[in-house]
Amino acid sequence: AQSVAQPEDQVNVAEGNPLTVKCTYSVSGNPYLFWYVQYPNRGLQFLLKYITGDNLVKGSYGFEAEFNKSQTSFHLKKPSALVSDSALYFCAVRDRAGYSTLTFGKGTMLLVSP
Amino acid sequence: DGGITQSPKYLFRKEGQNVTLSCEQNLNHDAMYWYRQDPGQGLRLIYYSQIVNDFQKGDIAEGYSVSREKKESFPLTVTSAQKNPTAFYLCASSITSDRMETQYFGPGTRLLVL
């Protein structure tokens, strides 16, 4: 079985400060990892994904994420937060082998204060 | 304007009634998916289709049905057997069902029970 944990229901950060949204995963093999963002009453927007290669993945809107195999983590980061980054963020994982659909974490609400 | 459309935006269901949610994509994607989103639970897979005229159950298929008669369309019917249908329903598609492919989401339909 595969699973994703987002240990923080909410992250608060001041505008201009760096932000981190945490994600850890569990798969039987090697993972494909994804981050999505959701604004209120909207669908999910794709931010970035890890497939293979460089452990630091750069994505949309200045976000990046670092794949750490030993810690089974894929934390989302941004050097300088904007108020407009306030939204619900989802991490998702899919095993490379065996029967596997995309499994989502429960989401982390990011609130950026002015 | 390419993308995924879902209609209606809001849908009201009476007790014992079947309702159908529409999902259309003009991205020429082979694979399509239906997810259910409940507060604090992330997204859960209802059904998915890898190709026209084929579909498989996801993790929470009971009380739902789908069809895939056209590549562009993947409607979801919420039947009277689904006892707790109130949720936000999201349709997604990907170029293929390959695990590394990104899933792109529609704007969602919110289903409420009268």
Side-chain angles (χ1 to χ4, degrees):
Chain A
Q2 61 189 35
S3 64
V4 177
Q6 294 183 241
E8 301 153 318
D9 291 336
Q10 184 169 308
V11 170
N12 297 296
V13 65
E15 188 173 32
N17 284 357
L19 69 88
T20 298
V21 182
K22 296 180 180 178
C23 171
T24 59
Y25 66 90
S26 175
V27 295
S28 56
N30 292 308
Y32 294 124
L33 293 154
F34 302 80
W35 274 103
Y36 288 87
V37 60
Q38 184 180 35
Y39 296 96
N41 295 310
R42 304 289 295 276
L44 274 65
Q45 294 180 30
F46 169 70
L47 284 177
L48 52 81
K49 67 180 177 182
Y50 172 78
I51 300 299
T52 188
D54 194 347
N55 290 341
L56 184 64
V57 179
K58 294 187 181 297
S60 305
Y61 313 119
F63 284 94
E64 58 188 29
E66 186 166 11
F67 172 62
N68 187 318
K69 188 173 183 178
S70 63
Q71 297 186 8
T72 62
S73 67
F74 190 56
H75 302 329
L76 182 70
K77 299 182 179 184
K78 187 174 183 182
S80 179
L82 300 173
V83 172
S84 57
D85 292 331
S86 298
L88 185 60
Y89 289 80
F90 289 98
C91 182
V93 68
R94 200 164 184 181
D95 202 334
R96 289 175 184 257
Y99 173 75
S100 170
T101 56
L102 191 60
T103 297
F104 286 83
K106 294 185 177 182
T108 297
M109 179 64 71
L110 173 67
L111 294 177
V112 182
S113 55
Chain B
D1 186 22
I4 304 171
T5 57
Q6 292 186 242
S7 61
K9 187 173 183 178
Y10 295 95
L11 186 58
F12 298 91
R13 194 191 91 163
K14 297 179 180 179
E15 293 289 338
Q17 185 181 41
N18 293 353
V19 292
T20 297
L21 285 61
S22 170
C23 178
E24 304 277 333
Q25 54 97 1
N26 62 3
L27 301 169
N28 200 32
H29 285 178
D30 282 333
M32 297 186 74
Y33 311 82
W34 274 106
Y35 291 91
R36 170 178 171 143
Q37 184 179 14
D38 295 282
Q41 292 194 44
L43 278 70
R44 292 180 290 169
L45 183 65
I46 305 172
Y47 268 97
Y48 65 102
S49 169
Q50 297 181 74
I51 201 165
V52 176
N53 293 321
D54 179 68
F55 51 83
Q56 287 83 39
K57 294 181 179 180
D59 301 319
I60 55 165
E62 186 174 352
Y64 300 97
S65 66
V66 294
S67 63
R68 185 87 187 276
E69 298 177 358
K70 297 187 300 181
K71 187 175 186 177
E72 303 79 19
S73 178
F74 191 40
L76 173 73
T77 296
V78 184
T79 74
S80 57
Q82 173 49 244
K83 298 305 180 187
N84 184 23
T86 297
F88 192 48
Y89 290 86
L90 290 160
C91 178
S93 70
S94 58
I95 294 174
T96 70
S97 58
D98 191 280
R99 297 157 195 275
M100 71 172 67
E101 294 296 344
T102 300
Q103 293 183 19
Y104 296 93
F105 285 80
T109 292
R110 188 166 298 280
L111 177 60
L112 300 166
V113 177
L114 296 176

